Amino acid sequence: MGEGLGFQLGTVGALSLSVISSVSIVICNKALISTLGFTFATTLTSWHLLVTFCSLHVALWMKFFEHKPFDSRAVMGFGVLNGISIGLLNLSLGFNSVGFYQMTKLAIIPCTVLLETLFFSKQFSKKVRFALSILLLGVGIATVTDLQLNLLGSILSLFAIITTCVAQIMTNTIQKKFKVSSTQLLYQSCPYQALILFIVGPFLDALLTNQNVFAFKYTPQVLAFIVLSCLISVSVNFSTFLVIGKTSPVTYQVLGHLKTCLVLAFGYTLLHDPFSWRNILGILIAVVGMVLYSYFCTRDSQPKPVETSTQFSQTNESENDPLISVENGMNVANKDLHA
């Protein structure tokens, strides 16, 4: 009972940290990009990962966590794939309209559900799928405006969706398979992610912005926001691995759309961004979808009232399972197949 309560509190803490840190870094980066003109997103991400690795190295030196080496090929492949997925998402945004890019992000949830169903034999209940549909509809209404299609942009978006889904599923699976914590996995994969983006970042940014990141005028104000963004990114990266490890890739994507709604709301309230009835309606529908998703997951994880003694024993075991307690609608028998 105590372990179950501790896990639930840990999950709530991870979700809260993810929301707070992600919304904070979006607001910080928006000021950095829109107000100060620093538009080099891929290079900035490589700096985020480098600072995250250095911070974790200090934490390791202070013995806040234990280094646990495991399959180096899995770590390298995972780190490189994560770096590629970030680069592809930035390219997708650069070669597509904002509306099409938002559709790309929305497609990650159904793609993840499809991949986990086909390759991990996980089962999502009809009610959970219905809740996810409501959520995606709401976010689509709130964020998708223009839809301009082009062949190159569509291909980049397709690869961005696939690599992002696979990388997030691997985040969950690797932690379960090798019994490593989110901190241990992040620490070992960060150098590969940072290296990939550090090499390709300046070229991608030059391609997308027609500017040279090394020729940019770094004023004290710009440097201050870059440092702040990098510091917040430590919490963002840590909470991302923590949430996916404790829940699932689908739940993390649901949380991501909650962040989108919060960013829209904060932008209107604090920055006086344009806001329309579509934004309000979409956010309300999305919130309904999130509430339904949480409700169905919680209800589906409850034990059935009438079961045989063997089934009752299996149900008790499932109550303490991380996947079941957060993401109901998943098949208990397949919970060990984690990224």
Side-chain angles (χ1 to χ4, degrees), residues 34 80 140 190 206 276 322:
S34 302
V80 171
C190 248
S276 67

Side-chain angles (χ1 to χ4, degrees), residues 144-194:
V144 177
T145 51
D146 55 324
L147 282 177
Q148 300 175 12
L149 302 179
N150 66 83
L151 180 60
L152 178 59
S154 300
I155 294 174
L156 290 172
S157 292
L158 177 62
F159 282 112
I161 292 169
I162 294 174
T163 54
T164 300
C165 292
V166 174
Q168 291 182 356
I169 292 174
M170 285 182 66
T171 303
N172 187 285
T173 303
I174 288 176
Q175 292 184 53
K176 298 296 181 183
K177 180 178 179 180
F178 296 102
K179 294 181 172 56
V180 293
S181 68
S182 55
T183 308
Q184 292 167 332
L185 177 59
L186 179 60
Y187 174 70
Q188 295 186 64
S189 63
C190 248
Y192 299 107
Q193 298 180 59

Side-chain angles (χ1 to χ4, degrees), residues 102 106 134-144 257-258 260-261 264 282-283 285-286 290:
Q102 290 294 342
L106 291 177
I134 296 296
L135 165 65
L136 295 177
L137 174 63
V139 176
I141 293 175
T143 61
V144 177
H257 291 307
L258 170 61
T260 300
C261 294
L264 287 173
I283 289 175
I285 294 175
M290 294 174 200

Side-chain angles (χ1 to χ4, degrees), residues 266-337:
F266 285 145
Y268 172 72
T269 305
L270 301 178
L271 305 177
H272 305 291
D273 290 342
F275 218 63
S276 67
W277 66 268
R278 281 190 57 180
N279 299 125
I280 298 174
L281 176 62
I283 289 175
L284 291 176
I285 294 175
V287 169
V288 170
M290 294 174 200
V291 171
L292 289 175
Y293 176 80
S294 300
Y295 172 73
F296 290 142
C297 286
T298 303
R299 194 180 69 171
D300 288 352
S301 66
Q302 299 300 318
K304 297 288 182 3
V306 179
E307 292 177 326
T308 65
S309 58
T310 302
Q311 290 172 324
F312 181 75
S313 174
Q314 293 174 347
T315 304
N316 283 338
E317 292 176 359
S318 70
E319 287 176 349
N320 292 323
D321 181 78
L323 286 176
I324 301 301
S325 58
V326 178
E327 175 146 342
N328 10 19
M330 310 287 272
N331 192 325
V332 179
N334 298 302
K335 64 180 182 298
D336 292 327
L337 296 176

Side-chain angles (χ1 to χ4, degrees), residues 105-116:
K105 292 174 64 178
L106 291 177
I108 292 175
I109 283 184
C111 181
T112 303
V113 170
L114 177 63
L115 290 177
E116 291 197 311

Side-chain angles (χ1 to χ4, degrees), residues 19 41 81 112 120 123 130 149 154 165 167 201 207 247 259 265 282 288:
V19 170
L81 181 63
T112 303
F120 293 90
Q123 300 299 318
F130 171 74
L149 302 179
S154 300
C165 292
L207 177 65
T247 61
K259 299 171 192 174
V288 170

